[in-house]
Amino acid sequence: MKEVTIKIKEENKMKRILTIMFFMALSVVAMYGMADAITGQCSNCHTMHDSQDGVDGGGPNDLLLLGSGCGGCHTQNGLPSAPQVDKTSNLSAGGSFDTTTIATDDSMRHDVQDLSLTESAITSTPGKTGSILTVAPNALTCAGAVGCHGKHVAGMGSDEGIKGSHHAPNATYRFLWIGTATSPTAVLGTGDVDYEVTVSDSDHNVYSAHATQGVSSFCNQCHNQFHGETETGGPSSPWERHPTDIALFGSGTSWTAADTDLEADDAPIAMIDVTGKTTTTNYYSSGTIDETNSAVMCLSCHRAHGTANADLLRWSYAGILANGVKDACLSCHYKQSSGVDD
Amino acid sequence: MGSRLLKLKSSNIFLVILLLFVFILVSSQAQAGVSGTCANCHIMHNSQDGDAVDASGPNEYLLAGGAEATTCLSCHSAASGATWKDPVTQAPIVWNQSEPTFNSQKGLAGGNFYWVGAGDDTKGHNVYGIAGVDGNIGSNPAPGKHTNATCSSDSCHYTLAQPPSYYIFGNGGCEGCHTKVSHHNDSNGWYRFLKGHGNEASNDYVVGVEDDDWEFETATDHNWYKGTTAVYNNGALVNQNTITSFCSGCHGAFHGPLTAGEGMGSDSPWVRHPTDIQLPTDGEYAGYDPVTNYSTEAPVAWVNPGTPDRDEAIVMCLSCHRPHGSAYKDLLRWDYVNMVAGTTGGSAGTGCFTCHTGKDGL
């Protein structure tokens, strides 16, 4: 009887140890490479009844938010503590939706309904044939079924799509999910704490070029003709469309890392494996480039929200001149440059 | 066979213990009329030895103390912060004129009027005899007054701070909420005498199980509130009998389907904090099981208060608020400003995070 009791105790002890180890491992895996949950006073963002001193607060708004929709917090008229997506200076990594001085033309931004932006030049999503998500003209939202952030379950608007994301620690990069399932695939990566308002080779976002969880796989949900071997012309040059999620260096490529002039702000790269890569890891400067991991991605050239250049480019494509300094396109395409770093 | 008999006997014993437990529980918390000598509360002629017992009397119901409409306070208030029950009448104290010290929550289940009585209008219902008209709200109606509530400005839907003669129904102050005080007959089932406008036969009253010490202590027992998952707007007390449907009588825009900017919505994403909905059993809410770990800081109601079931745990107004008043703004059970998401600091696991277990940093 005593033996049985001891055995049960040992089994229970082992179960507890295994449980603790499992959750420790799970938490490490979960925390690694993802953003933290939001912190701060609940009252910074929420109002329980949209009422103060017997007077309505102007809402009520979904999710009991002080402001209406995504723009209620994430614009210059919103919460100062929230990243603002319509700034005119000190822009963050995603760029800006501002139409006054930055993305002044339809071609320079994603026109999202939530910010009352409309698209007049195009009538269907570029490269959308056979895409996972189908967005009707002028139907794009910040989040939800026809949005970028949050879940993409059919019928979900921005508020329902993003619900819970801000409080979910380490779930996915910038609340970006792949797929339309209720439990979709998380995008890997680590967000810079100030969204790259300050950015350098050792202060930047960590993007992923994972085959199914990379940021280009995310963009592929709408712009699928611009991604993948079938659409871009095979696994190697000659390409038919500019490739994404392909290795820059190493076997099968003709480039040497030392000859490029990669920069986190100008021509960022993604990591095929983000393991061990943090927002302060310098994998841009000469001599620090991780040749086995570096890959080109959509965001190497584009900013997701908007820029001052056509096609949401990080630079003016019309201004890129062959035999120029290693800048913009020529940061990678050094063979077409003058050989001089910018 | 022997083993089977043993099992049957064990189950029978368990059943008996369970029944006894339920009996004891119900007995100790059953509603009962007030007890004690009549003279504790009543004076027949407001006269003793040739002098008036109450110089401002005589009073309605032959009550010994207090002027009109503040009569309640003669038994239900105390100068000392240490008194939770009137030593003569055994009445629960709802207004201590010094800061309550008799328990950690600084008041009984309904809270305490101390703070609003001391001048902070944000921390209590402004009730006649305790505090004047709310300086922040002024002549505005009660926060969240639904447009369906058509009672005029001379009703308790606007203020509880005016003298009784001001009111269309003649009862304001304490009786604005405790509309049918019935100290000698609790058999009517009116939880804490909370009732609507209807006559005594009307079904417009709150149902619940009253803790016999009004939650002076909460370690051994507590109130059991009634809730529902039924969808309703204000004016539904007669059908729902829940504490939330009672509050909705004056604050109806904070509850019910969303119509013309009033209401909380019908499902997530809510536009106002929902009440009289099931406390979800999944997601972060699975972390709070009030059946096994009931929090008197963030209590829930039940579809059947006498037989609480996790699937029938209900979010209610009193999950967050104390109706009389509290040490915190908006009569909250905790300081909303101190509720900080994403941290393991002092607010983690408390207040809002009792239910929203996934939003602190634990």
Side-chain angles (χ1 to χ4, degrees):
Chain A
M1 184 63 181
K2 191 176 179 183
E3 268 184 28
V4 172
T5 306
I6 291 171
K7 190 176 179 185
I8 289 172
K9 282 183 178 176
E10 284 177 345
E11 284 178 350
N12 288 340
K13 188 178 179 183
M14 183 55 69
K15 280 179 185 173
R16 281 199 300 274
I17 291 171
L18 287 171
T19 302
I20 291 168
M21 287 176 67
F22 171 75
F23 281 106
M24 284 179 69
L26 188 64
S27 63
V28 169
V29 170
M31 290 178 71
Y32 181 75
M34 301 297 184
D36 291 332
I38 198 168
T39 60
Q41 294 171 325
C42 303
S43 56
N44 286 345
C45 303
H46 298 285
T47 174
M48 293 301 104
H49 307 295
D50 188 44
S51 173
Q52 190 65 48
D53 299 335
V55 178
D56 291 345
N61 301 311
D62 280 354
L63 306 174
L64 287 63
L65 288 167
L66 288 167
S68 175
C70 304
C73 292
H74 292 285
T75 59
Q76 293 185 86
N77 294 325
L79 288 177
S81 57
Q84 297 171 348
V85 297
D86 64 342
K87 291 198 295 185
T88 55
S89 61
N90 297 317
L91 306 187
S92 52
S96 176
F97 291 106
D98 168 65
T99 60
T100 59
T101 60
I102 305 295
T104 55
D105 184 81
D106 286 351
S107 66
M108 299 174 175
R109 61 183 186 252
H110 271 117
D111 287 289
V112 288
Q113 278 189 351
D114 309 61
L115 301 180
S116 302
L117 302 177
T118 55
E119 168 66 50
S120 58
I122 60 175
T123 56
S124 65
T125 305
K128 85 169 189 61
T129 303
S131 59
I132 296 171
L133 302 179
T134 300
V135 183
N138 285 315
L140 182 65
T141 53
C142 295
V146 289
C148 295
H149 299 277
K151 305 286 180 68
H152 309 302
V153 178
M156 280 185 172
S158 280
D159 292 333
E160 194 174 1
I162 204 71
K163 186 182 75 170
S165 298
H166 292 81
H167 292 287
N170 316 310
T172 188
Y173 178 78
R174 301 295 191 212
F175 312 147
L176 299 176
W177 298 95
I178 297 172
T180 58
T182 52
S183 298
T185 302
V187 173
L188 301 177
T190 304
D192 182 31
V193 290
D194 72 353
Y195 317 96
E196 290 192 352
V197 170
T198 60
V199 58
S200 71
D201 289 353
S202 55
D203 175 17
H204 52 75
N205 290 328
V206 176
Y207 299 107
S208 168
H210 187 277
T212 58
Q213 291 184 269
V215 72
S216 295
S217 294
F218 173 82
C219 302
N220 173 57
Q221 294 181 102
C222 288
H223 305 287
N224 68 301
Q225 282 185 309
F226 302 160
H227 181 77
E229 293 182 3
T230 303
E231 300 291 350
T232 58
S236 60
S237 182
W239 308 101
E240 296 172 358
R241 289 188 173 95
H242 195 292
T244 50
D245 279 355
I246 57 127
L248 289 172
F249 313 109
S251 176
T253 72
S254 61
W255 291 357
T256 57
D259 288 325
T260 60
D261 187 23
L262 305 176
E263 293 175 359
D265 186 36
D266 190 36
I269 56 175
M271 294 286 103
I272 295 170
D273 180 1
V274 296
T275 304
K277 308 300 183 189
T278 73
T279 57
T280 58
T281 306
N282 186 347
Y283 45 71
Y284 285 100
S285 300
S286 181
T288 66
I289 294 173
D290 186 343
E291 296 190 24
T292 60
N293 251 334
S294 300
V296 64
M297 61 174 171
C298 302
L299 300 186
S300 296
C301 307
H302 302 277
R303 293 191 191 273
H305 295 166
T307 71
N309 305 301
D311 303 328
L312 295 70
L313 280 165
R314 289 173 178 264
W315 50 78
S316 170
Y317 187 47
I320 305 299
L321 301 177
N323 205 33
V325 296
K326 294 179 189 174
D327 189 20
C329 303
L330 307 185
S331 298
C332 295
H333 294 279
Y334 61 87
K335 292 178 181 176
Q336 281 79 37
S337 77
S338 64
V340 179
D341 289 351
D342 71 332
Chain B
M1 184 66 177
S3 172
R4 189 178 173 197
L5 279 173
L6 190 63
K7 282 181 184 173
L8 285 171
K9 284 176 183 174
S10 297
S11 62
N12 285 342
I13 291 168
F14 174 75
L15 192 61
V16 169
I17 291 172
L18 186 66
L19 284 169
L20 276 171
F21 177 75
V22 170
F23 177 74
I24 292 167
L25 186 72
V26 170
S27 299
S28 67
Q29 297 187 329
Q31 293 159 328
V34 70
S35 60
T37 58
C38 303
N40 285 344
C41 303
H42 299 287
I43 182 77
M44 295 302 104
H45 308 291
N46 192 34
S47 174
Q48 189 66 45
D49 300 333
D51 294 322
V53 173
D54 180 354
S56 61
N59 304 313
E60 290 180 340
Y61 304 110
L62 285 62
L63 288 165
E68 181 186 31
T70 60
T71 300
C72 307
L73 300 176
S74 65
C75 289
H76 291 284
S77 68
S80 166
T83 306
W84 65 278
K85 184 166 65 173
D86 185 273
V88 176
T89 65
Q90 309 300 304
I93 300 301
V94 297
W95 180 30
N96 292 87
Q97 287 152 39
S98 297
E99 185 167 2
T101 57
F102 49 78
N103 60 14
S104 60
Q105 69 201 32
K106 297 185 176 182
L108 301 176
N112 198 280
F113 290 104
Y114 164 71
W115 295 273
V116 68
D120 191 336
D121 287 338
T122 69
K123 295 179 178 175
H125 271 112
N126 293 60
V127 169
Y128 180 65
I130 299 174
V133 173
D134 190 309
N136 298 313
I137 297 175
S139 59
N140 288 327
K145 175 184 170 294
H146 202 288
T147 50
N148 287 346
T150 55
C151 289
S152 51
S153 59
D154 55 352
S155 72
C156 56
H157 296 272
Y158 277 72
T159 178
L160 298 168
Q162 299 285 5
S165 57
Y166 175 88
Y167 291 98
I168 185 172
F169 288 112
N171 59 337
C174 302
E175 291 179 304
C177 294
H178 304 277
T179 57
K180 292 288 190 293
V181 176
S182 178
H183 286 97
H184 291 291
N185 179 20
D186 259 4
S187 64
N188 45 40
W190 306 338
Y191 178 84
R192 305 297 191 206
F193 313 142
L194 298 175
K195 198 173 181 307
H197 292 309
N199 59 28
E200 293 198 357
S202 172
N203 195 44
D204 62 343
Y205 58 86
V206 176
V207 167
V209 180
E210 300 172 346
D211 181 18
D212 57 3
D213 69 0
W214 309 281
E215 294 191 357
F216 163 67
E217 66 77 34
T218 55
T220 58
D221 54 6
H222 53 76
N223 290 329
W224 297 84
Y225 303 100
K226 178 168 173 55
T228 182
T229 56
V231 176
Y232 65 90
N233 282 116
N234 65 316
L237 176 61
V238 67
N239 298 317
Q240 305 302 336
N241 303 116
T242 67
I243 191 75
T244 294
S245 62
F246 180 80
C247 301
S248 297
C250 289
H251 307 287
F254 296 163
H255 179 80
L258 183 65
T259 305
E262 296 179 305
M264 64 189 190
S266 299
D267 201 351
S268 181
W270 304 98
V271 297
R272 290 187 172 93
H273 195 291
T275 48
D276 263 354
I277 63 153
Q278 181 206 38
L279 177 68
T281 56
D282 57 356
E284 63 176 339
Y285 310 102
Y288 176 29
D289 183 352
V291 173
T292 59
N293 192 27
Y294 185 88
S295 167
T296 51
E297 184 189 25
V300 296
W302 308 91
V303 174
N304 296 294
T307 54
D309 183 282
R310 176 62 185 88
D311 291 337
E312 295 181 338
I314 304 295
V315 181
M316 61 173 171
C317 303
L318 301 191
S319 296
C320 308
H321 300 279
R322 294 192 187 274
H324 295 160
S326 74
Y328 309 110
K329 288 184 177 180
D330 301 328
L331 297 68
L332 281 165
R333 289 172 174 264
W334 49 79
D335 191 346
Y336 185 47
V337 173
N338 282 347
M339 290 292 122
V340 181
T343 76
T344 56
S347 66
T350 71
C352 304
F353 305 119
T354 305
C355 296
H356 295 282
T357 63
K359 293 186 174 66
D360 55 18
L362 296 179

